[in-house]
Amino acid sequence: MASRKITLLLLILFLLSLFFELHVVEATVINSIDGGLNEGCIEVERKALLEFKHGLNDPSGWLSSWVGADCCKWTGVDCNNRTGNVVKVDLRNRDFSPLGGEISGSLLDLKHLTYLDLSLNDFQGIPIPNFLGSFERLRYLNLSYAAFGGMIPPHLGNLSQLRYLDLHGGDYYNFPAPLVRVHNLNWLSGLSSLKYLDLGYVNLSKATTNWMQAVNMLPFLSELHFSGCDLSEFPHFVPFVNVTSLLVIDLSFNNFNTTLPGWLFNISTLMDLYLIEARIKGPIPHVSLRSLCNLVTLDLSYNNIGSEGIELVNGLSICSNNSLEGLYLGGNQFSGQLPDSLGHFKNLRSLYLRDNNFVGPFPNSIQHLTNLESLDVSRNSISGPIPTWIGNLLRMRQLKLSSNQMNGTIPMNWNDLQSLHTIDLSKNKLSGGIPSWMCSKSSLIWLILGENNLTGELTPSLKNCTRLSSLDLGNNRFSGEIPKWIGERMPSLEQLRLRGNMLTGDIPEQLCWLSDLHILDLAVNNLSGSIPQCLGNLTAFSSVTLSDSWPYNIHYSHSKHMELVVKGQEMELPIVKLIDLSSNNIWGEIPIGITDLLTLGTLNLSRNQLTGKIPQKIGAMQGLETLDLSCNYLSGPIPPSMSSITSLNHLNLSDNLLSGPIPITNQFSTFNDPSIYEANLGLCGLPLSTKCFTPNDDDHKDGQEEEEDENEWDMSWFFISMGLVFLVGFWVACGSLGLKKSWRQAYFRFINKTRERLYVFTAVNLARLERRIERIGVNG
Ligand SMILES: *[C@@H]1O[C@H](CO)[C@@H](O)[C@H](O)[C@H]1NC(C)=O
Ligand SMILES: *[C@@H]1O[C@H](CO)[C@@H](O)[C@H](O)[C@H]1NC(C)=O
Ligand SMILES: *[C@@H]1O[C@H](CO)[C@@H](O)[C@H](O)[C@H]1NC(C)=O
Ligand SMILES: *[C@@H]1O[C@H](CO)[C@@H](O)[C@H](O)[C@H]1NC(C)=O
Ligand SMILES: *[C@@H]1O[C@H](CO)[C@@H](O)[C@H](O)[C@H]1NC(C)=O
Ligand SMILES: *[C@@H]1O[C@H](CO)[C@@H](O)[C@H](O)[C@H]1NC(C)=O
Ligand SMILES: *[C@@H]1O[C@H](CO)[C@@H](O)[C@H](O)[C@H]1NC(C)=O
Ligand SMILES: *[C@@H]1O[C@H](CO)[C@@H](O)[C@H](O)[C@H]1NC(C)=O
Ligand SMILES: *[C@@H]1O[C@H](CO)[C@@H](O)[C@H](O)[C@H]1NC(C)=O
Ligand SMILES: *[C@@H]1O[C@H](CO)[C@@H](O)[C@H](O)[C@H]1NC(C)=O
Ligand SMILES: *[C@@H]1O[C@H](CO)[C@@H](O)[C@H](O)[C@H]1NC(C)=O
Ligand SMILES: *[C@@H]1O[C@H](CO)[C@@H](O)[C@H](O)[C@H]1NC(C)=O
């Protein structure tokens, strides 16, 4: 049926395109009859473009303007306004479905072409055509992110006029798969006018021994981008450094496994040097760094430069007029104290020293960095207090000091922090309360203070954090109630993590107003009351669309901010949809509305006092991967609908009052660990050893009777299992209690707990229980 519809659709599309083509032919004919010959376009070139268009797949009709006589007016085509020759074809894909197909040799008729851009399209692995090397006047060639494959043709070396060559690999979606390769780079020497060269994610492993030799033949080169090229050699000896105009070098994501060569420090024009994750080792060569006084960005993140690397910082700090704006040295096993010399980089905006082994306090010199916008020294061992002067850094936008050994209180007077949008002080030893300036003087989006020793209540000053997207106060010693205004005043809140505190009171209903909330972690507190009925109103848990702040989320998980207990272990956070209310004193029933949270991934309500049944419609929660309802007083059967949640891979229903057969279909056939069902009143069937008693269902029953029957089923299991518990319990426990102290203790803990459970169960179900017993008595 569906395929017939598609055939029909294709037929219609084909007819439409035929009609369209005819229309074009007609227009052309009319044009020539009119004698209205194009003023702007040369016929041979127009034909060449049409043929080029013909070879292309253009799913979204981007080139539909390529009709009519004046090709100079077509999308992406530019002509020399004196001669009418086509000089520019710019089909960089900005908004359309990517172009694909073939690149017709007819293009060669565009003899005056100086500019060709086919970037961000999807040519599905076809090789770059050799004939592109024949455009004698070409000055700009951009085939980046267009999914070309095969070898780069050495013919491109004939483009002696070329200024810009961008062949960055990958495709429209920027997947950096190195599809394009080269044999060698000797052909580069022909590009004697080249200023810009990007062969990022082109596999240059075959050219690894002489890439620098090839580059050194390009005296005018100002930008060199060879990132992700599988280069494994960084030549240390270059007889004469020709490339004296280089402004930008990007050799990130290669496998050099070597130290930095001395000649690199001689390129005095250099402004940006990127060597991220390039397996650079220390030590830094003993050369003067004076030549690098023009550096604006230095990014050596995630290499293995080691403790001596800090000499690089000292060496660069001697420049009298320091131009450095971005210094990125994260992940390099630097050790020792943060150098005082950092204070010399007066123009510094970003300082990233995260993931090193720095110890000791902050040097006071850093307070002279008055242009600093972003400071990240997370994951070191920096100790001492957070300096009060950090608040005098006027332009500060993000401050990340997470995972250090800092103690003392968060400074109370920060002064003028209007631009501050991210504070991450998590995983330190900070004490005291949340200072009142936090939201009155800044417009915070991320406030991450988890894993400290902070105390006090959630201060009203946070009320002013109306732009907050993430609030993490988890694992501190905060007390008091969860304020209602979190729901009222923080409409953009996406992540709320208050777990591991001493919060009391109810879960406020106002939290249901947070339509973007997709992480609600209130576990391990002293919360009481029932789960708000309106939980089903949390729309982010029922929608599949990603929220607007998706880039923030990427950033968030990348910078390893927030950790949550997911699937039984602390793990880093991808985009997660989670509700964790475990280990509180929450009572009442699980609200039916919870089954509206169709895309919720993790639901943990364990270790509370929940009663009633698991909602019948729980099967609707098709995003559920982890469901933990253990250690409650839930009763009744496991709803059969639960077996339709095929995504479910972690389930725990132990320690409840559940009864009846365990479903056996779908996902349930994979849950063969009996401990996830243990300590219930009357669950039966595999993987438990308790067999299910098959009821005699000869008679047809209507719904009402079936319900009653189910309850009867519960009851009979209640009594049978009571008997079993006592019998087995007596022999197992009493037989071994003399043997081992720890077992004995465990046993009495178990007995105590069971008594407590039975008490609550009885209290809650007393009326029903009595009726049932009466009935059984009568029937029996
Ligand atoms: C031709 O184009 C150039 C730049 O592309 C422009 O400056 C010039 O004014 C144009 N001449 C005419 C006659 O349109
Ligand atoms: C080539 O195209 C890509 C993607 O459109 C763009 O990001 C890049 O800046 C272009 N390269 C040059 C040298 O203009
Ligand atoms: C261009 O380069 C290729 C290979 O490097 C060569 O065979 C060819 O003769 C050159 N000339 C033209 C016009 O393509
Ligand atoms: C690059 O090509 C070589 C073979 O020429 C291959 O061994 C290597 O795995 C490729 N590198 C990458 C990153 O694909
Ligand atoms: C420097 O460049 C010139 C051409 O511009 C070339 O002839 C010479 O061999 C190059 N020197 C080195 C050492 O590569
Ligand atoms: C890196 O270089 C060292 C010697 O300097 C060598 O022992 C090691 O095997 C190299 N590692 C790789 C991955 O090539
Ligand atoms: C750096 O340049 C100086 C002269 O400008 C030269 O004497 C020295 O050998 C060069 N160093 C390297 C490593 O190329
Ligand atoms: C300092 O560097 C800046 C650019 O970084 C430049 O504009 C300024 O002229 C330099 N000043 C001196 C005294 O060299
Ligand atoms: C911070 O820790 C240091 C030891 O590392 C200790 O001497 C100091 O008293 C602590 N300060 C506070 C405020 O706890
Ligand atoms: C947290 O602070 C309390 C005092 O307020 C102190 O007794 C306790 O040791 C601190 N805990 C940690 C882990 O620093
Ligand atoms: C919120 O900010 C306003 C203006 O900055 C300030 O007057 C008010 O006191 C703040 N409220 C709280 C609770 O801090
Ligand atoms: C939840 O949504 C329903 C209907 O959409 C609305 O009537 C109700 O007031 C909401 N509850 C809360 C607490 O926002």
Side-chain angles (χ1 to χ4, degrees):
M1 190 65 185
S3 74
R4 210 182 301 162
K5 269 187 194 160
I6 290 169
T7 318
L8 197 65
L9 198 69
L10 285 177
L11 196 68
I12 291 171
L13 280 177
F14 173 72
L15 287 175
L16 273 176
S17 67
L18 207 64
F19 172 76
F20 205 65
E21 293 282 316
L22 283 174
H23 207 70
V24 173
V25 171
E26 192 184 20
T28 323
V29 169
I30 287 171
N31 254 326
S32 25
I33 290 172
D34 271 2
L37 264 180
N38 48 82
E39 288 146 39
C41 183
I42 288 163
E43 184 59 14
V44 149
E45 299 190 342
R46 196 180 67 89
K47 280 193 173 142
L49 285 170
L50 277 182
E51 207 164 314
F52 170 58
K53 175 192 172 183
H54 209 75
L56 296 176
N57 303 325
D58 176 15
S60 56
W62 177 12
L63 304 185
S64 57
S65 75
W66 285 31
V67 291
D70 189 358
C71 66
C72 297
K73 297 214 164 76
W74 295 355
T75 305
V77 179
D78 263 342
C79 299
N80 180 314
N81 52 12
R82 210 164 28 80
T83 65
N85 288 112
V86 172
V87 290
K88 180 171 177 178
V89 174
D90 177 2
L91 296 180
R92 176 185 299 191
N93 183 19
R94 292 174 176 98
D95 297 314
F96 293 89
S97 301
L99 297 172
E102 277 175 38
I103 297 177
S104 163
S106 69
L107 272 189
L108 274 180
D109 285 334
L110 306 178
K111 296 224 180 319
H112 295 260
L113 200 66
T114 62
Y115 189 109
L116 179 62
D117 188 344
L118 301 176
S119 64
L120 293 168
N121 285 296
D122 184 3
F123 288 95
Q124 302 189 332
I126 65 165
I128 295 170
N130 296 353
F131 68 78
L132 291 187
S134 307
F135 289 107
E136 286 173 11
R137 296 169 199 239
L138 208 61
R139 294 162 73 98
Y140 181 100
L141 178 60
N142 194 341
L143 305 178
S144 67
Y145 302 104
F148 283 101
M151 290 288 174
I152 292 181
H155 305 71
L156 296 187
N158 291 339
L159 298 170
S160 59
Q161 295 297 310
L162 207 61
R163 278 11 176 216
Y164 299 87
L165 177 60
D166 192 342
L167 303 179
H168 195 289
D171 65 11
Y172 178 67
Y173 300 101
N174 299 354
F175 287 129
L179 298 168
V180 198
R181 290 167 290 141
V182 299
H183 264 314
N184 61 57
L185 288 173
N186 297 342
W187 52 274
L188 276 183
S189 63
L191 307 178
S192 50
S193 315
L194 208 62
K195 292 165 70 173
Y196 182 106
L197 175 61
D198 189 342
L199 298 181
Y201 289 94
V202 170
N203 189 336
L204 300 183
S205 64
K206 287 255 166 67
T208 196
T209 51
N210 66 353
W211 64 268
M212 183 53 202
Q213 229 169 308
V215 167
N216 204 21
M217 305 296 268
L218 307 172
F220 301 111
L221 200 65
S222 67
E223 293 206 24
L224 173 69
H225 299 267
F226 277 8
S227 65
C229 293
D230 209 354
L231 291 171
S232 53
E233 287 185 37
F234 208 145
H236 274 232
F237 180 69
V238 177
F240 180 79
V241 179
N242 253 339
V243 279
T244 48
S245 356
L246 271 174
L247 303 177
V248 180
I249 297 181
D250 184 355
L251 295 168
S252 303
F253 310 111
N254 283 295
N255 302 311
F256 292 122
N257 193 26
T258 179
T259 55
L260 287 174
W263 57 262
L264 195 64
F265 298 94
N266 247 4
I267 305 177
S268 60
T269 46
L270 206 57
M271 295 178 74
D272 297 331
L273 177 59
Y274 302 96
L275 277 159
I276 307 161
E277 246 183 87
R279 294 224 211 163
I280 300 294
K281 299 194 284 200
I284 299 295
H286 290 284
V287 293
S288 161
L289 301 182
R290 226 168 256 287
S291 300
L292 294 186
C293 282
N294 290 314
L295 267 188
V296 175
T297 311
L298 177 62
D299 194 337
L300 299 175
S301 305
Y302 297 95
N303 285 289
N304 191 7
I305 292 173
S307 52
E308 284 178 65
I310 217 61
E311 283 173 26
L312 187 71
V313 176
N314 293 333
L316 286 174
S317 71
I318 59 166
C319 300
S320 57
N321 181 20
N322 215 297
S323 49
L324 206 63
E325 290 179 13
L327 182 59
Y328 305 86
L329 300 174
N332 269 300
Q333 300 182 23
F334 286 144
S335 53
Q337 303 221 354
L338 290 171
D340 260 330
S341 58
L342 282 172
H344 289 119
F345 300 103
K346 299 274 192 303
N347 288 309
L348 211 59
R349 291 161 181 268
S350 301
L351 179 59
Y352 282 70
L353 301 173
R354 57 177 298 137
D355 290 303
N356 282 297
N357 304 317
F358 286 117
V359 295
F362 265 107
N364 279 330
S365 65
I366 292 189
Q367 66 184 302
H368 303 306
L369 304 181
T370 48
N371 290 306
L372 208 58
E373 291 173 4
S374 193
L375 175 64
D376 187 350
V377 292
S378 307
R379 291 149 68 105
N380 281 284
S381 299
I382 294 172
S383 55
I386 298 177
T388 47
W389 45 254
I390 273 190
N392 306 331
L393 302 177
L394 255 164
R395 296 161 194 259
M396 190 67 90
R397 296 164 63 77
Q398 41 179 341
L399 178 63
K400 300 186 180 175
L401 311 178
S402 152
S403 299
N404 280 291
Q405 311 279 336
M406 310 195 75
N407 64 2
T409 56
I410 303 174
M412 290 295 156
N413 51 347
W414 282 23
N415 285 328
D416 200 351
L417 292 163
Q418 288 156 10
S419 321
L420 200 64
H421 63 65
T422 301
I423 297 184
D424 183 356
L425 308 178
S426 62
K427 298 186 185 159
N428 279 289
K429 296 174 169 171
L430 302 172
S431 52
I434 302 176
S436 61
W437 57 261
M438 275 226 172
C439 290
S440 52
K441 297 239 172 103
S442 61
S443 43
L444 280 180
I445 295 175
W446 301 93
L447 178 55
I448 315 290
L449 303 177
E451 278 69 25
N452 277 295
N453 199 8
L454 299 170
T455 50
E457 304 204 349
L458 306 190
T459 53
S461 69
L462 290 179
K463 262 191 201 176
N464 271 352
C465 289
T466 51
R467 295 180 60 204
L468 220 52
S469 150
S470 189
L471 177 61
D472 177 5
L473 307 177
N475 292 325
N476 280 289
R477 305 197 307 131
F478 288 110
S479 52
E481 303 200 350
I482 299 177
K484 294 181 177 39
W485 43 255
I486 288 189
E488 292 164 351
R489 306 263 309 179
M490 301 178 180
S492 315
L493 205 63
E494 291 185 39
Q495 290 127 354
L496 178 60
R497 183 176 182 267
L498 302 177
R499 72 176 290 127
N501 282 292
M502 301 180 299
L503 301 171
T504 50
D506 291 359
I507 300 172
E509 280 208 350
Q510 284 79 353
L511 292 186
C512 301
W513 301 1
L514 298 171
S515 58
D516 292 333
L517 196 70
H518 62 85
I519 287 176
L520 176 61
D521 187 355
L522 309 178
V524 199
N525 277 293
N526 292 323
L527 299 173
S528 52
S530 54
I531 303 175
Q533 290 297 324
C534 59
L535 216 62
N537 285 21
L538 287 168
T539 47
F541 290 109
S542 54
S543 60
V544 282
T545 48
L546 297 170
S547 62
D548 284 343
S549 54
W550 169 241
Y552 276 117
N553 284 326
I554 289 180
H555 177 72
Y556 194 70
S557 58
H558 177 71
S559 48
K560 300 177 176 166
H561 270 147
M562 194 186 277
E563 287 174 2
L564 283 158
V565 181
V566 179
K567 291 178 188 170
Q569 56 184 8
E570 296 253 320
M571 56 182 247
E572 305 295 342
L573 184 85
I575 176 128
V576 162
K577 296 196 175 184
L578 171 145
I579 294 181
D580 191 343
L581 308 179
S582 63
S583 299
N584 280 292
N585 294 312
I586 300 168
W587 46 266
E589 304 205 353
I590 301 175
I592 305 287
I594 211 162
T595 61
D596 291 340
L597 307 182
L598 305 181
T599 55
L600 180 65
T602 295
L603 178 63
N604 191 346
L605 303 178
S606 67
R607 295 172 195 282
N608 279 295
Q609 325 258 350
L610 295 171
T611 50
K613 297 188 178 188
I614 302 173
Q616 284 296 328
K617 286 199 311 185
I618 195 164
M621 302 175 76
Q622 287 291 321
L624 215 53
E625 292 177 8
T626 298
L627 177 65
D628 192 345
L629 303 177
S630 63
C631 302
N632 279 293
Y633 305 108
L634 297 170
S635 56
I638 300 175
S641 78
M642 205 195 275
S643 67
S644 71
I645 310 176
T646 49
S647 52
L648 197 64
N649 51 37
H650 284 77
L651 176 70
N652 196 348
L653 301 175
S654 63
D655 268 284
N656 274 293
L657 304 168
L658 297 170
S659 53
I662 294 168
I664 48 172
T665 50
N666 296 332
Q667 229 48 12
F668 273 85
S669 61
T670 64
F671 298 141
N672 43 28
D673 175 4
S675 72
I676 68 173
Y677 302 114
E678 76 187 3
N680 271 287
L681 271 187
L683 286 178
C684 65
L686 290 175
L688 296 178
S689 52
T690 329
K691 285 218 175 60
C692 288
F693 159 74
T694 316
N696 190 354
D697 51 0
D698 286 350
D699 318 321
H700 176 78
K701 303 180 179 84
D702 68 355
Q704 169 81 38
E705 272 168 355
E706 234 169 76
E707 228 247 311
E708 305 254 293
D709 203 59
E710 195 186 73
N711 286 333
E712 234 168 78
W713 175 265
D714 292 357
M715 280 322 298
S716 45
W717 272 105
F718 173 67
F719 287 110
I720 291 170
S721 51
M722 285 300 279
L724 278 176
V725 164
F726 284 123
L727 212 66
V728 174
F730 180 80
W731 283 111
V732 170
C734 298
S736 54
L737 281 182
L739 296 178
K740 222 176 155 186
K741 194 175 160 212
S742 60
W743 287 16
R744 199 164 54 222
Q745 286 168 344
Y747 177 74
F748 287 112
R749 267 205 304 276
F750 170 75
I751 289 289
N752 273 336
K753 203 168 155 208
T754 311
R755 200 164 35 209
E756 195 179 298
R757 279 165 184 285
L758 273 178
Y759 173 75
V760 173
F761 172 76
T762 320
V764 169
N765 291 288
L766 200 61
R768 229 177 79 191
L769 199 73
E770 277 169 3
R771 266 210 317 277
R772 290 292 141 228
I773 290 170
E774 221 177 280
R775 247 175 80 121
I776 291 168
V778 170
N779 291 349

CSV table of all heavy atoms in Angstrom, one decimal, residues 271 293-296 320-325 347, ligand 8:
chain,number,residue,atom,x,y,z
A,271,MET,N,50.0,34.2,14.6
A,271,MET,CA,48.9,34.7,15.5
A,271,MET,C,48.1,33.6,16.2
A,271,MET,O,47.8,33.8,17.4
A,271,MET,CB,48.0,35.7,14.8
A,271,MET,CG,48.7,36.9,14.2
A,271,MET,SD,47.6,38.0,13.3
A,271,MET,CE,46.7,38.7,14.6
A,293,CYS,N,55.7,36.8,20.0
A,293,CYS,CA,55.0,37.9,20.7
A,293,CYS,C,53.7,38.4,20.0
A,293,CYS,O,53.0,39.2,20.6
A,293,CYS,CB,55.9,39.0,21.0
A,293,CYS,SG,57.0,38.7,22.4
A,294,ASN,N,53.5,37.9,18.8
A,294,ASN,CA,52.2,38.3,18.1
A,294,ASN,C,51.1,37.3,18.3
A,294,ASN,O,50.0,37.5,17.8
A,294,ASN,CB,52.5,38.5,16.6
A,294,ASN,CG,53.3,39.7,16.4
A,294,ASN,OD1,53.1,40.8,16.9
A,294,ASN,ND2,54.4,39.6,15.6
A,295,LEU,N,51.4,36.2,19.1
A,295,LEU,CA,50.4,35.2,19.2
A,295,LEU,C,49.1,35.8,19.9
A,295,LEU,O,49.2,36.5,20.8
A,295,LEU,CB,50.9,34.1,20.2
A,295,LEU,CG,51.6,32.9,19.5
A,295,LEU,CD1,51.8,31.8,20.6
A,295,LEU,CD2,50.7,32.3,18.4
A,296,VAL,N,48.0,35.4,19.3
A,296,VAL,CA,46.7,35.8,19.9
A,296,VAL,C,46.0,34.6,20.5
A,296,VAL,O,45.4,34.7,21.6
A,296,VAL,CB,45.8,36.4,18.8
A,296,VAL,CG1,44.4,36.7,19.3
A,296,VAL,CG2,46.5,37.7,18.2
A,320,SER,N,56.7,42.3,25.8
A,320,SER,CA,56.3,43.5,26.5
A,320,SER,C,54.9,43.9,26.3
A,320,SER,O,54.2,44.3,27.2
A,320,SER,CB,57.3,44.7,26.2
A,320,SER,OG,57.2,44.8,24.8
A,321,ASN,N,54.5,43.7,25.0
A,321,ASN,CA,53.1,44.1,24.7
A,321,ASN,C,52.4,42.8,24.4
A,321,ASN,O,52.3,42.5,23.2
A,321,ASN,CB,53.1,45.1,23.5
A,321,ASN,CG,51.7,45.5,23.1
A,321,ASN,OD1,50.8,45.4,23.9
A,321,ASN,ND2,51.6,46.0,21.9
A,322,ASN,N,51.9,42.2,25.4
A,322,ASN,CA,51.4,40.8,25.1
A,322,ASN,C,50.0,40.8,24.4
A,322,ASN,O,49.1,41.4,24.9
A,322,ASN,CB,51.3,40.0,26.4
A,322,ASN,CG,51.7,38.6,26.1
A,322,ASN,OD1,51.0,37.9,25.4
A,322,ASN,ND2,52.8,38.2,26.7
A,323,SER,N,50.0,40.1,23.3
A,323,SER,CA,48.8,40.1,22.5
A,323,SER,C,47.9,38.9,22.8
A,323,SER,O,46.8,38.8,22.2
A,323,SER,CB,49.1,40.2,21.0
A,323,SER,OG,50.1,39.2,20.7
A,324,LEU,N,48.4,38.0,23.6
A,324,LEU,CA,47.7,36.8,23.8
A,324,LEU,C,46.3,37.0,24.3
A,324,LEU,O,46.1,37.6,25.4
A,324,LEU,CB,48.4,35.8,24.7
A,324,LEU,CG,48.2,34.4,24.5
A,324,LEU,CD1,48.6,33.9,23.2
A,324,LEU,CD2,48.9,33.6,25.6
A,325,GLU,N,45.2,36.4,23.6
A,325,GLU,CA,43.9,36.6,24.1
A,325,GLU,C,43.3,35.2,24.6
A,325,GLU,O,42.4,35.2,25.4
A,325,GLU,CB,43.0,37.1,23.0
A,325,GLU,CG,43.3,38.6,22.7
A,325,GLU,CD,42.4,39.2,21.6
A,325,GLU,OE1,41.5,38.5,21.2
A,325,GLU,OE2,42.8,40.3,21.1
A,347,ASN,N,46.0,41.0,27.9
A,347,ASN,CA,44.9,41.0,27.0
A,347,ASN,C,44.1,39.7,27.0
A,347,ASN,O,43.2,39.5,26.2
A,347,ASN,CB,45.4,41.2,25.6
A,347,ASN,CG,45.8,42.7,25.4
A,347,ASN,OD1,45.0,43.6,25.7
A,347,ASN,ND2,47.0,42.9,24.9
B,8,LIG,C1,50.4,46.4,21.3
B,8,LIG,O1,49.6,45.4,20.6
B,8,LIG,C2,48.5,45.9,20.0
B,8,LIG,C3,47.8,44.8,19.3
B,8,LIG,O2,47.9,43.7,20.0
B,8,LIG,C4,48.8,47.1,19.0
B,8,LIG,O3,47.6,47.6,18.5
B,8,LIG,C5,49.6,48.1,19.8
B,8,LIG,O4,50.0,49.1,18.9
B,8,LIG,C6,50.8,47.6,20.5
B,8,LIG,N1,51.4,48.6,21.2
B,8,LIG,C7,52.7,48.7,21.3
B,8,LIG,C8,53.3,49.8,22.2
B,8,LIG,O5,53.5,48.0,20.7
